[in-house]
Amino acid sequence: MSSRNLFKPITVGKIVPQHRLVMAPLTRFRSPNHVPTDLVAQYYKQRASAPGTLIISEATFITEAAGGYENVPGIYNPAQIAAWGKVAASIHEQNSFFFIQLWSLGRAADKNYLDRLGHKYVAPSAIPNPGVNVKYVQKKQEVEDWNKQHPEDLKPVPEEPVNPVPHALTEEEILAYIDAFVQAAKNAVAAGADGVEIHNANGYLLEQFLSESSNQRTDKWGGSVENRARFTLAVVDAVVAAIGAERTGIRLSPWRSYAQADESSSPLEQWSYVFNELERRGREGKRLAYIHLVEPRADLGSNPHAIYNKSGDNAAFVKLWSGSLIRAGGYKLESALAATDADARLLIGVGRYFISTPDLVARWRLGREPNPYNRSTFYSPGAKGYTDYPFAEELQVAA
Ligand SMILES: Cc1cc2nc3c(=O)[nH]c(=O)nc-3n(C[C@H](O)[C@H](O)[C@H](O)COP(=O)(O)O)c2cc1C
């Protein structure tokens, strides 16, 4: 295995991961009051057990107002910064690396929760989300699990809620969001993270600006390819100015089909523009640490509306970027080995198998199978399905 690129070191911005398997960002809903607990630190420490592993945190709210789900961590107050400090330290103790993913939900938020906190439910334009939010997915999963275990006492599966009309952000509010990304990035670095990943994927606020179906603005933040990309690039530039390009990554998912205006409209022009602009900045000395690309075959695990256009192909985008690239979505050992041998600047993001397998890197290095993952504990509270997945040695002892 050691002759394969997957298990060779690679430079990513300022850090040098010792292999090319990256823990992809994974929301787990285990941070009460938006503060990561010691259990969260333990979870990441386990997954950082192979020295030199790049861990990307679960998506983390940049402000309370940018949030809108319970039990998701933030990086906007001192308690959160201190808690992330413990997480970063526990990852660094393993000689591994840590980027924090910065999240703003836009119209994917739970409006009721924002109402309770006194925040606006926002989007680029006053167009309701065609998808369902994670809160509904969670509830539905709970009922389905109950029904599987209690066939004699079936509960009705909750109906999909009708999504409310969001408030279209004013220009002033957009500028405040850019500042909030910057402050969150500074907070992440203050907490000891090696960098941040701007979450510009999967139908959340920044991607809502890129997509014609959700952005029908007529000011300079919409109406053309350049204008729809203005928010993304403004956030990139502001974060880079604050913490440095080599500490900044970005996640993009061009083929998410519901983000398109209609099935026939192609993301090629819009996302190529973003890739070209990021590449131009790279050539001018501001090369981002990486671009993290979600493959069209990826599914988000449990969100029935997170459907990617599976006929899409990222090849056109990959050609436009000459820096470090992470690709994620459906990779297994064989496909990860083949992909990294074919592209020497590539890293592979792994989601679900990193949930189930704390020693995934060590196992794959030996060609061993990962643990199977249990979907029903992806979003449930506590240690079950979180920190209790066994390492290979524990399996051997048990056998
Ligand atoms: C439980 C769960 C939570 C996720 N949370 C996030 C997240 O916070 N941010 C993000 O960008 N992607 C998120 N994703 C997507 C993953 O990062 C990844 O792209 C996806 O799982 C496909 O990779 P896989 O096939 O290796 O699981 C999540 C996926 C799952 C299954």
PDB file of all heavy atoms in Angstrom, residues 24-28 57-59 101 103 197 199 201-202 251 292 294 298-302 308 328-331 349-353 355 378-379, ligand 1:
ATOM      1  N   ALA A  24     -14.437  13.942   6.065  1.00  0.00           N
ATOM      2  CA  ALA A  24     -15.341  14.948   5.493  1.00  0.00           C
ATOM      3  C   ALA A  24     -16.189  15.572   6.608  1.00  0.00           C
ATOM      4  O   ALA A  24     -16.369  14.970   7.668  1.00  0.00           O
ATOM      5  CB  ALA A  24     -16.248  14.288   4.454  1.00  0.00           C
ATOM      6  N   PRO A  25     -16.714  16.793   6.376  1.00  0.00           N
ATOM      7  CA  PRO A  25     -17.561  17.422   7.400  1.00  0.00           C
ATOM      8  C   PRO A  25     -18.845  16.630   7.619  1.00  0.00           C
ATOM      9  O   PRO A  25     -19.519  16.256   6.659  1.00  0.00           O
ATOM     10  CB  PRO A  25     -17.853  18.801   6.804  1.00  0.00           C
ATOM     11  CG  PRO A  25     -17.613  18.661   5.335  1.00  0.00           C
ATOM     12  CD  PRO A  25     -16.550  17.620   5.177  1.00  0.00           C
ATOM     13  N   LEU A  26     -19.181  16.382   8.890  1.00  0.00           N
ATOM     14  CA  LEU A  26     -20.327  15.523   9.219  1.00  0.00           C
ATOM     15  C   LEU A  26     -21.104  16.104  10.401  1.00  0.00           C
ATOM     16  O   LEU A  26     -20.631  16.057  11.548  1.00  0.00           O
ATOM     17  CB  LEU A  26     -19.826  14.113   9.562  1.00  0.00           C
ATOM     18  CG  LEU A  26     -19.217  13.363   8.375  1.00  0.00           C
ATOM     19  CD1 LEU A  26     -18.250  12.289   8.836  1.00  0.00           C
ATOM     20  CD2 LEU A  26     -20.306  12.770   7.483  1.00  0.00           C
ATOM     21  N   THR A  27     -22.261  16.645  10.123  1.00  0.00           N
ATOM     22  CA  THR A  27     -23.144  17.172  11.163  1.00  0.00           C
ATOM     23  C   THR A  27     -23.651  16.029  12.030  1.00  0.00           C
ATOM     24  O   THR A  27     -24.116  15.019  11.516  1.00  0.00           O
ATOM     25  CB  THR A  27     -24.322  17.901  10.488  1.00  0.00           C
ATOM     26  OG1 THR A  27     -23.799  19.076   9.856  1.00  0.00           O
ATOM     27  CG2 THR A  27     -25.392  18.301  11.489  1.00  0.00           C
ATOM     28  N   ARG A  28     -23.543  16.165  13.357  1.00  0.00           N
ATOM     29  CA  ARG A  28     -23.935  15.065  14.247  1.00  0.00           C
ATOM     30  C   ARG A  28     -24.913  15.480  15.353  1.00  0.00           C
ATOM     31  O   ARG A  28     -25.333  14.661  16.149  1.00  0.00           O
ATOM     32  CB  ARG A  28     -22.673  14.412  14.866  1.00  0.00           C
ATOM     33  CG  ARG A  28     -21.623  13.934  13.860  1.00  0.00           C
ATOM     34  CD  ARG A  28     -22.125  12.905  12.864  1.00  0.00           C
ATOM     35  NE  ARG A  28     -22.783  11.773  13.464  1.00  0.00           N
ATOM     36  CZ  ARG A  28     -22.168  10.695  13.956  1.00  0.00           C
ATOM     37  NH1 ARG A  28     -20.858  10.619  13.923  1.00  0.00           N
ATOM     38  NH2 ARG A  28     -22.860   9.702  14.474  1.00  0.00           N
ATOM     39  N   SER A  57     -14.143  19.655  10.416  1.00  0.00           N
ATOM     40  CA  SER A  57     -15.212  19.578  11.426  1.00  0.00           C
ATOM     41  C   SER A  57     -16.567  19.514  10.750  1.00  0.00           C
ATOM     42  O   SER A  57     -16.729  19.873   9.585  1.00  0.00           O
ATOM     43  CB  SER A  57     -15.181  20.808  12.342  1.00  0.00           C
ATOM     44  OG  SER A  57     -15.825  21.907  11.717  1.00  0.00           O
ATOM     45  N   GLU A  58     -17.540  19.115  11.536  1.00  0.00           N
ATOM     46  CA  GLU A  58     -18.935  19.268  11.148  1.00  0.00           C
ATOM     47  C   GLU A  58     -19.207  20.747  10.864  1.00  0.00           C
ATOM     48  O   GLU A  58     -18.510  21.627  11.387  1.00  0.00           O
ATOM     49  CB  GLU A  58     -19.816  18.801  12.291  1.00  0.00           C
ATOM     50  CG  GLU A  58     -19.628  19.608  13.576  1.00  0.00           C
ATOM     51  CD  GLU A  58     -19.858  18.753  14.818  1.00  0.00           C
ATOM     52  OE1 GLU A  58     -21.000  18.649  15.261  1.00  0.00           O
ATOM     53  OE2 GLU A  58     -18.862  18.212  15.337  1.00  0.00           O
ATOM     54  N   ALA A  59     -20.220  21.018  10.065  1.00  0.00           N
ATOM     55  CA  ALA A  59     -20.565  22.396   9.750  1.00  0.00           C
ATOM     56  C   ALA A  59     -20.899  23.138  11.044  1.00  0.00           C
ATOM     57  O   ALA A  59     -21.591  22.614  11.919  1.00  0.00           O
ATOM     58  CB  ALA A  59     -21.744  22.428   8.795  1.00  0.00           C
ATOM     59  N   GLN A 101     -15.400  23.813   9.495  1.00  0.00           N
ATOM     60  CA  GLN A 101     -16.276  24.193   8.378  1.00  0.00           C
ATOM     61  C   GLN A 101     -17.264  25.277   8.836  1.00  0.00           C
ATOM     62  O   GLN A 101     -17.980  25.107   9.824  1.00  0.00           O
ATOM     63  CB  GLN A 101     -17.047  22.973   7.847  1.00  0.00           C
ATOM     64  CG  GLN A 101     -17.686  23.292   6.491  1.00  0.00           C
ATOM     65  CD  GLN A 101     -18.645  22.222   5.983  1.00  0.00           C
ATOM     66  OE1 GLN A 101     -19.418  21.668   6.759  1.00  0.00           O
ATOM     67  NE2 GLN A 101     -18.612  21.962   4.691  1.00  0.00           N
ATOM     68  N   TRP A 103     -20.538  27.638   8.510  1.00  0.00           N
ATOM     69  CA  TRP A 103     -21.876  27.364   7.977  1.00  0.00           C
ATOM     70  C   TRP A 103     -22.842  28.516   8.180  1.00  0.00           C
ATOM     71  O   TRP A 103     -22.906  29.095   9.263  1.00  0.00           O
ATOM     72  CB  TRP A 103     -22.433  26.145   8.720  1.00  0.00           C
ATOM     73  CG  TRP A 103     -23.463  25.318   8.010  1.00  0.00           C
ATOM     74  CD1 TRP A 103     -23.805  25.368   6.697  1.00  0.00           C
ATOM     75  CD2 TRP A 103     -24.262  24.276   8.601  1.00  0.00           C
ATOM     76  NE1 TRP A 103     -24.761  24.399   6.433  1.00  0.00           N
ATOM     77  CE2 TRP A 103     -25.052  23.729   7.579  1.00  0.00           C
ATOM     78  CE3 TRP A 103     -24.365  23.752   9.882  1.00  0.00           C
ATOM     79  CZ2 TRP A 103     -25.957  22.689   7.804  1.00  0.00           C
ATOM     80  CZ3 TRP A 103     -25.254  22.711  10.111  1.00  0.00           C
ATOM     81  CH2 TRP A 103     -26.049  22.187   9.082  1.00  0.00           C
ATOM     82  N   GLU A 197     -12.936  25.804   6.408  1.00  0.00           N
ATOM     83  CA  GLU A 197     -13.530  25.456   5.109  1.00  0.00           C
ATOM     84  C   GLU A 197     -14.834  26.244   4.988  1.00  0.00           C
ATOM     85  O   GLU A 197     -15.732  26.108   5.822  1.00  0.00           O
ATOM     86  CB  GLU A 197     -13.811  23.948   5.049  1.00  0.00           C
ATOM     87  CG  GLU A 197     -14.533  23.541   3.763  1.00  0.00           C
ATOM     88  CD  GLU A 197     -14.662  22.028   3.615  1.00  0.00           C
ATOM     89  OE1 GLU A 197     -13.634  21.329   3.518  1.00  0.00           O
ATOM     90  OE2 GLU A 197     -15.810  21.538   3.586  1.00  0.00           O
ATOM     91  N   HIS A 199     -18.298  26.732   3.798  1.00  0.00           N
ATOM     92  CA  HIS A 199     -19.327  25.785   3.317  1.00  0.00           C
ATOM     93  C   HIS A 199     -20.154  26.475   2.237  1.00  0.00           C
ATOM     94  O   HIS A 199     -21.059  27.236   2.524  1.00  0.00           O
ATOM     95  CB  HIS A 199     -20.201  25.346   4.487  1.00  0.00           C
ATOM     96  CG  HIS A 199     -21.076  24.169   4.189  1.00  0.00           C
ATOM     97  ND1 HIS A 199     -21.286  23.687   2.906  1.00  0.00           N
ATOM     98  CD2 HIS A 199     -21.801  23.354   5.002  1.00  0.00           C
ATOM     99  CE1 HIS A 199     -22.105  22.639   2.965  1.00  0.00           C
ATOM    100  NE2 HIS A 199     -22.426  22.417   4.219  1.00  0.00           N
ATOM    101  N   ALA A 201     -21.692  24.733  -0.262  1.00  0.00           N
ATOM    102  CA  ALA A 201     -22.243  23.564  -0.959  1.00  0.00           C
ATOM    103  C   ALA A 201     -23.617  23.208  -0.426  1.00  0.00           C
ATOM    104  O   ALA A 201     -24.161  23.866   0.467  1.00  0.00           O
ATOM    105  CB  ALA A 201     -21.288  22.381  -0.766  1.00  0.00           C
ATOM    106  N   ASN A 202     -24.181  22.171  -1.019  1.00  0.00           N
ATOM    107  CA  ASN A 202     -25.341  21.445  -0.483  1.00  0.00           C
ATOM    108  C   ASN A 202     -26.588  22.284  -0.208  1.00  0.00           C
ATOM    109  O   ASN A 202     -27.384  21.967   0.674  1.00  0.00           O
ATOM    110  CB  ASN A 202     -24.934  20.686   0.797  1.00  0.00           C
ATOM    111  CG  ASN A 202     -23.865  19.635   0.518  1.00  0.00           C
ATOM    112  OD1 ASN A 202     -23.661  19.270  -0.639  1.00  0.00           O
ATOM    113  ND2 ASN A 202     -23.185  19.163   1.530  1.00  0.00           N
ATOM    114  N   ARG A 251     -15.847  24.455   0.067  1.00  0.00           N
ATOM    115  CA  ARG A 251     -16.544  23.262  -0.431  1.00  0.00           C
ATOM    116  C   ARG A 251     -17.600  23.671  -1.452  1.00  0.00           C
ATOM    117  O   ARG A 251     -18.381  24.596  -1.215  1.00  0.00           O
ATOM    118  CB  ARG A 251     -17.209  22.518   0.727  1.00  0.00           C
ATOM    119  CG  ARG A 251     -17.659  21.126   0.301  1.00  0.00           C
ATOM    120  CD  ARG A 251     -18.042  20.248   1.480  1.00  0.00           C
ATOM    121  NE  ARG A 251     -17.604  18.886   1.230  1.00  0.00           N
ATOM    122  CZ  ARG A 251     -18.284  17.801   1.601  1.00  0.00           C
ATOM    123  NH1 ARG A 251     -19.415  17.910   2.261  1.00  0.00           N
ATOM    124  NH2 ARG A 251     -17.833  16.597   1.329  1.00  0.00           N
ATOM    125  N   HIS A 292     -12.807  21.682  -2.114  1.00  0.00           N
ATOM    126  CA  HIS A 292     -13.406  20.399  -1.720  1.00  0.00           C
ATOM    127  C   HIS A 292     -14.667  20.205  -2.563  1.00  0.00           C
ATOM    128  O   HIS A 292     -15.632  20.944  -2.424  1.00  0.00           O
ATOM    129  CB  HIS A 292     -13.752  20.475  -0.230  1.00  0.00           C
ATOM    130  CG  HIS A 292     -14.149  19.167   0.379  1.00  0.00           C
ATOM    131  ND1 HIS A 292     -14.283  19.002   1.732  1.00  0.00           N
ATOM    132  CD2 HIS A 292     -14.428  17.958  -0.166  1.00  0.00           C
ATOM    133  CE1 HIS A 292     -14.636  17.752   1.983  1.00  0.00           C
ATOM    134  NE2 HIS A 292     -14.734  17.102   0.854  1.00  0.00           N
ATOM    135  N   VAL A 294     -17.809  18.042  -4.057  1.00  0.00           N
ATOM    136  CA  VAL A 294     -18.720  16.933  -3.776  1.00  0.00           C
ATOM    137  C   VAL A 294     -19.082  16.267  -5.104  1.00  0.00           C
ATOM    138  O   VAL A 294     -19.460  16.945  -6.064  1.00  0.00           O
ATOM    139  CB  VAL A 294     -20.001  17.430  -3.065  1.00  0.00           C
ATOM    140  CG1 VAL A 294     -20.930  16.258  -2.745  1.00  0.00           C
ATOM    141  CG2 VAL A 294     -19.651  18.193  -1.792  1.00  0.00           C
ATOM    142  N   ALA A 298     -22.748  11.499  -4.804  1.00  0.00           N
ATOM    143  CA  ALA A 298     -22.894  11.502  -3.350  1.00  0.00           C
ATOM    144  C   ALA A 298     -24.347  11.684  -2.955  1.00  0.00           C
ATOM    145  O   ALA A 298     -25.089  12.416  -3.590  1.00  0.00           O
ATOM    146  CB  ALA A 298     -22.070  12.640  -2.756  1.00  0.00           C
ATOM    147  N   ASP A 299     -24.752  11.004  -1.896  1.00  0.00           N
ATOM    148  CA  ASP A 299     -26.037  11.362  -1.319  1.00  0.00           C
ATOM    149  C   ASP A 299     -25.772  11.762   0.123  1.00  0.00           C
ATOM    150  O   ASP A 299     -24.794  11.352   0.721  1.00  0.00           O
ATOM    151  CB  ASP A 299     -27.046  10.214  -1.414  1.00  0.00           C
ATOM    152  CG  ASP A 299     -26.737   9.116  -0.430  1.00  0.00           C
ATOM    153  OD1 ASP A 299     -27.155   9.251   0.708  1.00  0.00           O
ATOM    154  OD2 ASP A 299     -26.058   8.150  -0.821  1.00  0.00           O
ATOM    155  N   LEU A 300     -26.629  12.595   0.663  1.00  0.00           N
ATOM    156  CA  LEU A 300     -26.345  13.148   1.980  1.00  0.00           C
ATOM    157  C   LEU A 300     -26.743  12.189   3.087  1.00  0.00           C
ATOM    158  O   LEU A 300     -26.760  12.561   4.240  1.00  0.00           O
ATOM    159  CB  LEU A 300     -27.064  14.466   2.161  1.00  0.00           C
ATOM    160  CG  LEU A 300     -26.318  15.667   1.595  1.00  0.00           C
ATOM    161  CD1 LEU A 300     -27.015  16.937   1.962  1.00  0.00           C
ATOM    162  CD2 LEU A 300     -24.890  15.703   2.104  1.00  0.00           C
ATOM    163  N   GLY A 301     -27.056  11.004   2.758  1.00  0.00           N
ATOM    164  CA  GLY A 301     -27.302  10.022   3.797  1.00  0.00           C
ATOM    165  C   GLY A 301     -28.768   9.897   4.108  1.00  0.00           C
ATOM    166  O   GLY A 301     -29.334   8.828   4.013  1.00  0.00           O
ATOM    167  N   SER A 302     -29.402  10.987   4.443  1.00  0.00           N
ATOM    168  CA  SER A 302     -30.776  10.824   4.892  1.00  0.00           C
ATOM    169  C   SER A 302     -31.717  11.917   4.416  1.00  0.00           C
ATOM    170  O   SER A 302     -32.909  11.830   4.663  1.00  0.00           O
ATOM    171  CB  SER A 302     -30.795  10.760   6.405  1.00  0.00           C
ATOM    172  OG  SER A 302     -30.056  11.834   6.913  1.00  0.00           O
ATOM    173  N   TYR A 308     -28.482  14.563  -5.976  1.00  0.00           N
ATOM    174  CA  TYR A 308     -27.547  15.150  -6.923  1.00  0.00           C
ATOM    175  C   TYR A 308     -27.878  14.663  -8.320  1.00  0.00           C
ATOM    176  O   TYR A 308     -28.399  13.575  -8.501  1.00  0.00           O
ATOM    177  CB  TYR A 308     -26.116  14.765  -6.557  1.00  0.00           C
ATOM    178  CG  TYR A 308     -25.678  15.376  -5.258  1.00  0.00           C
ATOM    179  CD1 TYR A 308     -25.999  14.776  -4.052  1.00  0.00           C
ATOM    180  CD2 TYR A 308     -24.990  16.578  -5.234  1.00  0.00           C
ATOM    181  CE1 TYR A 308     -25.624  15.343  -2.859  1.00  0.00           C
ATOM    182  CE2 TYR A 308     -24.612  17.154  -4.046  1.00  0.00           C
ATOM    183  CZ  TYR A 308     -24.930  16.535  -2.852  1.00  0.00           C
ATOM    184  OH  TYR A 308     -24.556  17.100  -1.670  1.00  0.00           O
ATOM    185  N   ALA A 328     -15.120  14.147  -2.657  1.00  0.00           N
ATOM    186  CA  ALA A 328     -15.835  13.340  -1.668  1.00  0.00           C
ATOM    187  C   ALA A 328     -17.128  12.828  -2.251  1.00  0.00           C
ATOM    188  O   ALA A 328     -17.773  13.501  -3.055  1.00  0.00           O
ATOM    189  CB  ALA A 328     -16.133  14.169  -0.415  1.00  0.00           C
ATOM    190  N   GLY A 329     -17.514  11.643  -1.825  1.00  0.00           N
ATOM    191  CA  GLY A 329     -18.804  11.113  -2.226  1.00  0.00           C
ATOM    192  C   GLY A 329     -18.690   9.679  -2.710  1.00  0.00           C
ATOM    193  O   GLY A 329     -18.267   9.441  -3.848  1.00  0.00           O
ATOM    194  N   GLY A 330     -19.026   8.743  -1.841  1.00  0.00           N
ATOM    195  CA  GLY A 330     -19.118   7.349  -2.257  1.00  0.00           C
ATOM    196  C   GLY A 330     -17.790   6.643  -2.439  1.00  0.00           C
ATOM    197  O   GLY A 330     -17.749   5.563  -3.041  1.00  0.00           O
ATOM    198  N   TYR A 331     -16.694   7.202  -1.928  1.00  0.00           N
ATOM    199  CA  TYR A 331     -15.398   6.522  -2.116  1.00  0.00           C
ATOM    200  C   TYR A 331     -15.245   5.342  -1.166  1.00  0.00           C
ATOM    201  O   TYR A 331     -15.627   5.387  -0.007  1.00  0.00           O
ATOM    202  CB  TYR A 331     -14.237   7.509  -1.903  1.00  0.00           C
ATOM    203  CG  TYR A 331     -14.002   8.377  -3.113  1.00  0.00           C
ATOM    204  CD1 TYR A 331     -14.520   9.661  -3.178  1.00  0.00           C
ATOM    205  CD2 TYR A 331     -13.279   7.906  -4.200  1.00  0.00           C
ATOM    206  CE1 TYR A 331     -14.325  10.465  -4.299  1.00  0.00           C
ATOM    207  CE2 TYR A 331     -13.072   8.694  -5.329  1.00  0.00           C
ATOM    208  CZ  TYR A 331     -13.591   9.968  -5.371  1.00  0.00           C
ATOM    209  OH  TYR A 331     -13.391  10.758  -6.479  1.00  0.00           O
ATOM    210  N   GLY A 349     -12.140  12.781   0.427  1.00  0.00           N
ATOM    211  CA  GLY A 349     -12.968  12.998   1.608  1.00  0.00           C
ATOM    212  C   GLY A 349     -13.878  11.792   1.824  1.00  0.00           C
ATOM    213  O   GLY A 349     -14.490  11.304   0.881  1.00  0.00           O
ATOM    214  N   VAL A 350     -13.923  11.321   3.077  1.00  0.00           N
ATOM    215  CA  VAL A 350     -14.777  10.176   3.394  1.00  0.00           C
ATOM    216  C   VAL A 350     -15.727  10.582   4.519  1.00  0.00           C
ATOM    217  O   VAL A 350     -15.286  11.134   5.537  1.00  0.00           O
ATOM    218  CB  VAL A 350     -13.930   8.957   3.832  1.00  0.00           C
ATOM    219  CG1 VAL A 350     -14.838   7.777   4.177  1.00  0.00           C
ATOM    220  CG2 VAL A 350     -12.952   8.576   2.724  1.00  0.00           C
ATOM    221  N   GLY A 351     -17.010  10.335   4.307  1.00  0.00           N
ATOM    222  CA  GLY A 351     -18.018  10.711   5.292  1.00  0.00           C
ATOM    223  C   GLY A 351     -18.448   9.536   6.143  1.00  0.00           C
ATOM    224  O   GLY A 351     -17.943   9.299   7.244  1.00  0.00           O
ATOM    225  N   ARG A 352     -19.385   8.750   5.618  1.00  0.00           N
ATOM    226  CA  ARG A 352     -20.040   7.745   6.452  1.00  0.00           C
ATOM    227  C   ARG A 352     -19.094   6.705   7.046  1.00  0.00           C
ATOM    228  O   ARG A 352     -19.268   6.287   8.186  1.00  0.00           O
ATOM    229  CB  ARG A 352     -21.176   7.097   5.658  1.00  0.00           C
ATOM    230  CG  ARG A 352     -22.345   8.059   5.475  1.00  0.00           C
ATOM    231  CD  ARG A 352     -23.249   7.678   4.360  1.00  0.00           C
ATOM    232  NE  ARG A 352     -22.579   7.802   3.063  1.00  0.00           N
ATOM    233  CZ  ARG A 352     -23.149   7.506   1.899  1.00  0.00           C
ATOM    234  NH1 ARG A 352     -24.377   7.042   1.875  1.00  0.00           N
ATOM    235  NH2 ARG A 352     -22.489   7.669   0.784  1.00  0.00           N
ATOM    236  N   TYR A 353     -18.060   6.297   6.289  1.00  0.00           N
ATOM    237  CA  TYR A 353     -17.144   5.303   6.882  1.00  0.00           C
ATOM    238  C   TYR A 353     -16.267   5.906   7.976  1.00  0.00           C
ATOM    239  O   TYR A 353     -15.758   5.179   8.832  1.00  0.00           O
ATOM    240  CB  TYR A 353     -16.293   4.628   5.805  1.00  0.00           C
ATOM    241  CG  TYR A 353     -17.094   3.625   5.004  1.00  0.00           C
ATOM    242  CD1 TYR A 353     -17.122   3.668   3.616  1.00  0.00           C
ATOM    243  CD2 TYR A 353     -17.840   2.641   5.652  1.00  0.00           C
ATOM    244  CE1 TYR A 353     -17.878   2.756   2.892  1.00  0.00           C
ATOM    245  CE2 TYR A 353     -18.602   1.730   4.931  1.00  0.00           C
ATOM    246  CZ  TYR A 353     -18.611   1.796   3.558  1.00  0.00           C
ATOM    247  OH  TYR A 353     -19.361   0.898   2.840  1.00  0.00           O
ATOM    248  N   ILE A 355     -17.605   8.014  10.096  1.00  0.00           N
ATOM    249  CA  ILE A 355     -18.513   7.954  11.248  1.00  0.00           C
ATOM    250  C   ILE A 355     -18.363   6.598  11.930  1.00  0.00           C
ATOM    251  O   ILE A 355     -18.228   6.498  13.146  1.00  0.00           O
ATOM    252  CB  ILE A 355     -19.981   8.154  10.787  1.00  0.00           C
ATOM    253  CG1 ILE A 355     -20.212   9.610  10.365  1.00  0.00           C
ATOM    254  CG2 ILE A 355     -20.970   7.739  11.901  1.00  0.00           C
ATOM    255  CD1 ILE A 355     -21.627   9.922   9.890  1.00  0.00           C
ATOM    256  N   PHE A 378     -26.930   8.658  13.255  1.00  0.00           N
ATOM    257  CA  PHE A 378     -26.178   9.790  12.682  1.00  0.00           C
ATOM    258  C   PHE A 378     -26.480  11.075  13.465  1.00  0.00           C
ATOM    259  O   PHE A 378     -25.583  11.854  13.756  1.00  0.00           O
ATOM    260  CB  PHE A 378     -26.585  10.016  11.218  1.00  0.00           C
ATOM    261  CG  PHE A 378     -25.929   9.082  10.225  1.00  0.00           C
ATOM    262  CD1 PHE A 378     -26.262   9.168   8.869  1.00  0.00           C
ATOM    263  CD2 PHE A 378     -24.984   8.142  10.604  1.00  0.00           C
ATOM    264  CE1 PHE A 378     -25.667   8.328   7.927  1.00  0.00           C
ATOM    265  CE2 PHE A 378     -24.389   7.296   9.669  1.00  0.00           C
ATOM    266  CZ  PHE A 378     -24.733   7.396   8.325  1.00  0.00           C
ATOM    267  N   TYR A 379     -27.748  11.281  13.773  1.00  0.00           N
ATOM    268  CA  TYR A 379     -28.175  12.570  14.337  1.00  0.00           C
ATOM    269  C   TYR A 379     -28.728  12.457  15.753  1.00  0.00           C
ATOM    270  O   TYR A 379     -29.322  13.402  16.263  1.00  0.00           O
ATOM    271  CB  TYR A 379     -29.262  13.177  13.436  1.00  0.00           C
ATOM    272  CG  TYR A 379     -28.821  13.505  12.030  1.00  0.00           C
ATOM    273  CD1 TYR A 379     -29.693  13.372  10.948  1.00  0.00           C
ATOM    274  CD2 TYR A 379     -27.540  13.981  11.769  1.00  0.00           C
ATOM    275  CE1 TYR A 379     -29.305  13.696   9.651  1.00  0.00           C
ATOM    276  CE2 TYR A 379     -27.141  14.300  10.479  1.00  0.00           C
ATOM    277  CZ  TYR A 379     -28.022  14.155   9.419  1.00  0.00           C
ATOM    278  OH  TYR A 379     -27.641  14.480   8.140  1.00  0.00           O
TER     279      TYR A 379
HETATM  280  C1  LIG B   1     -24.695  12.346   8.748  1.00  0.00           C
HETATM  281  C2  LIG B   1     -24.118  13.235   7.688  1.00  0.00           C
HETATM  282  C3  LIG B   1     -23.844  14.562   7.993  1.00  0.00           C
HETATM  283  C4  LIG B   1     -23.274  15.411   7.031  1.00  0.00           C
HETATM  284  N1  LIG B   1     -22.958  16.699   7.375  1.00  0.00           N
HETATM  285  C5  LIG B   1     -22.314  17.507   6.491  1.00  0.00           C
HETATM  286  C6  LIG B   1     -21.858  18.797   6.877  1.00  0.00           C
HETATM  287  O1  LIG B   1     -21.980  19.233   8.038  1.00  0.00           O
HETATM  288  N2  LIG B   1     -21.248  19.563   5.931  1.00  0.00           N
HETATM  289  C7  LIG B   1     -21.069  19.123   4.645  1.00  0.00           C
HETATM  290  O2  LIG B   1     -20.517  19.854   3.821  1.00  0.00           O
HETATM  291  N3  LIG B   1     -21.460  17.887   4.271  1.00  0.00           N
HETATM  292  C8  LIG B   1     -22.055  17.066   5.162  1.00  0.00           C
HETATM  293  N4  LIG B   1     -22.377  15.778   4.798  1.00  0.00           N
HETATM  294  C9  LIG B   1     -21.898  15.240   3.497  1.00  0.00           C
HETATM  295  C10 LIG B   1     -20.552  14.506   3.678  1.00  0.00           C
HETATM  296  O3  LIG B   1     -19.512  15.420   3.997  1.00  0.00           O
HETATM  297  C11 LIG B   1     -20.129  13.726   2.407  1.00  0.00           C
HETATM  298  O4  LIG B   1     -19.979  14.622   1.334  1.00  0.00           O
HETATM  299  C12 LIG B   1     -21.147  12.653   2.044  1.00  0.00           C
HETATM  300  O5  LIG B   1     -21.465  11.866   3.184  1.00  0.00           O
HETATM  301  C13 LIG B   1     -20.640  11.725   0.958  1.00  0.00           C
HETATM  302  O6  LIG B   1     -19.468  11.044   1.379  1.00  0.00           O
HETATM  303  P1  LIG B   1     -19.514   9.467   1.797  1.00  0.00           P
HETATM  304  O7  LIG B   1     -20.095   8.733   0.620  1.00  0.00           O
HETATM  305  O8  LIG B   1     -18.071   9.099   2.046  1.00  0.00           O
HETATM  306  O9  LIG B   1     -20.365   9.347   3.015  1.00  0.00           O
HETATM  307  C14 LIG B   1     -22.990  14.918   5.728  1.00  0.00           C
HETATM  308  C15 LIG B   1     -23.284  13.585   5.431  1.00  0.00           C
HETATM  309  C16 LIG B   1     -23.825  12.735   6.389  1.00  0.00           C
HETATM  310  C17 LIG B   1     -24.069  11.298   6.044  1.00  0.00           C
END
